[in-house]
Amino acid sequence: MDEEQPKITEMTFEEALRALEGVVRRLESGEVPLDESIDLYERGEALRKACQARLDAAQARIEKIVQGADGKPAGTVPFDGDGAA
């Protein structure tokens, strides 16, 4: 099973998310033998962690620059994700 799958670290966020969705679908189907289910669960957890790490990194990079009275950057405000930043 692992031989056919790309390494998670080499996947884009979108590829990892699609792979995670595929793992969830297979597990929810109930058609996978127990041993394979365990392997799928472990891969799914690794994919989830990779996706979350990439989301966290992206959120950290998306910051609004706050300008001081002189027009120069005075600091940053974290992006809140709802467009109100």
Side-chain angles (χ1 to χ4, degrees):
M1 182 168 117
D2 291 331
E3 299 164 3
E4 302 169 7
Q5 298 176 350
K7 290 183 180 182
I8 294 171
T9 56
E10 296 173 0
M11 300 172 95
T12 66
F13 172 80
E14 292 79 8
E15 290 168 338
L17 187 58
R18 278 192 299 274
L20 179 56
E21 290 168 346
V23 166
V24 170
R25 274 193 302 278
R26 289 190 64 201
L27 287 171
E28 287 179 341
S29 76
E31 310 256 334
V32 183
L34 179 60
D35 289 338
E36 189 176 347
S37 292
I38 293 168
D39 291 340
L40 280 170
Y41 181 85
E42 290 172 345
R43 179 151 176 92
E45 183 61 16
L47 287 162
R48 184 201 63 78
K49 286 180 181 178
C51 287
Q52 187 62 55
R54 289 193 181 139
L55 287 173
D56 291 345
Q59 184 173 358
R61 291 179 58 196
I62 301 172
E63 295 181 331
K64 179 180 176 185
I65 297 175
V66 178
Q67 294 183 350
D70 60 357
K72 294 182 181 177
T76 60
V77 175
F79 178 76
D80 65 6
D82 68 2

